[in-house]
Amino acid sequence: MFVQVIFARILSDESLIRILSRMRARIAKSRSNKEFLNRLCQAKVDVRSNTSENICKLLPPRKVWQKYRIKERDGKNSLDLNARAIEKATHSRLRNPMGSDATWIGNLHDFTVRIRNRALNTPDFRFHTPAVRPDPKGIDGNHRAIAIYRFEDRIISTLLTRYLRERFDGQLSHCSYAFREPKDGRCTSHHDAIDDIYSFRGRHPEGSLWVAECDIRGFYDCIHHDVVRRAFSEFVSRAAQAGKPVESKAKELFEAYLQSYTFSRNVMREALPRLQSRSPNATIGWPLGALCEFYSNPMDEPIGIPQGGAVSCLIANMVLNQVDIAAMPWKSSDRSRLLYARYCDDMILISPEKGLNR
């Protein structure tokens, strides 16, 4: 019961308002960029979308939340400042509503109730099948498949990711820089990886450094669901041992996320034919030949997780944690002479000695 309360707390009004405020701030930034493009190019770029319209109906209008935006940046960017202003304005108007607030307050109440009921009380919960948007890569007609979930599914998957990340983050190595739990009010980012590389260079100012860099070919598109389930099970077991048990509802939602998408079904059988009906020479790369070395018929296997889905970032850290463990120098004599860093599926090894990189 205690764990159930913790999971339900992730779906509280406060958590939902915070994530909606962040999304609304991103919309404001995107609209500002598009409006600037309109003025610059004297072209008409639509600044609205279905998602932005949905979110704007749930929160105070811009003329209200702009009044709560602090003037001093104090090192924060405009996105953070706007998100905080929207969140403060929402809570303030919920406590002391004005007549003009009735519509969005009613919409917000209905939305939060619906989200909680669907996530917590729906038997055999399922995410809707995401739409797949082919994003061009270069000029050769190749595309990358980006999965786009419905608005409510995005909210639920994002909150699920936060819940699981709180329980799993302590198991990850310090050399993993992407999608980490905030510490002391800030998140680890690629900037921290760059700082550590500069610091390593400073400790080895003389001579050359050997650098080995790699990424995993088509990681999101090629990972088998059974591999993901094994990694998830291991993290759940260690979290329980650490006194951070994962509630069964969260496990159910995680499994539903996996089942909502495979690359063969959503991309090769559905999105790719639609793309080629418009552009016959277009492709969406998938290393089918390489996959055939592991599976007799990859098209029939549950392979691939959604690029663009919030949970997928967590999956990358869970699965590649074993790579981190294997790559980290465990001999104390090697630790000062070898730097290993990973950001999602991009990895780098740096050392003044060529042999250590090997």
Side-chain angles (χ1 to χ4, degrees), residues 37-57:
L37 182 62
N38 285 341
R39 293 193 298 270
L40 187 67
C41 302
Q42 295 184 346
K44 184 62 178 176
V45 178
D46 190 3
V47 298
R48 296 173 298 176
S49 68
N50 290 335
T51 297
S52 66
E53 294 299 316
N54 286 335
I55 294 175
C56 291
K57 292 177 181 178

Side-chain angles (χ1 to χ4, degrees), residues 200 203 328-339:
F200 187 81
R203 295 196 297 272
M328 286 289 291
W330 293 110
K331 292 182 180 179
S332 57
S333 58
D334 292 342
R335 291 176 188 172
S336 63
R337 296 179 294 134
L338 178 66
L339 174 69

Side-chain angles (χ1 to χ4, degrees), residues 112-144:
T112 55
V113 170
R114 185 169 65 251
I115 283 284
R116 272 195 295 272
N117 283 338
R118 183 170 170 231
L120 296 176
N121 302 323
T122 302
D124 300 322
F125 177 92
R126 293 289 183 269
F127 286 101
H128 297 96
T129 300
V132 175
R133 184 188 71 206
D135 267 13
K137 292 179 64 178
I139 58 175
D140 59 357
N142 193 26
H143 293 70
R144 176 176 55 186

Side-chain angles (χ1 to χ4, degrees), residues 3 64 91 96 107 112 140 259 300 315:
V3 182
V64 172
H91 285 296
N96 301 293
N107 292 339
T112 55
D140 59 357
Q259 293 186 12
D300 292 336
I315 289 174

Side-chain angles (χ1 to χ4, degrees), residues 281-296:
N281 295 325
T283 61
I284 299 178
W286 200 40
L288 188 59
L291 289 170
C292 285
E293 297 179 14
F294 301 93
Y295 311 104
S296 58

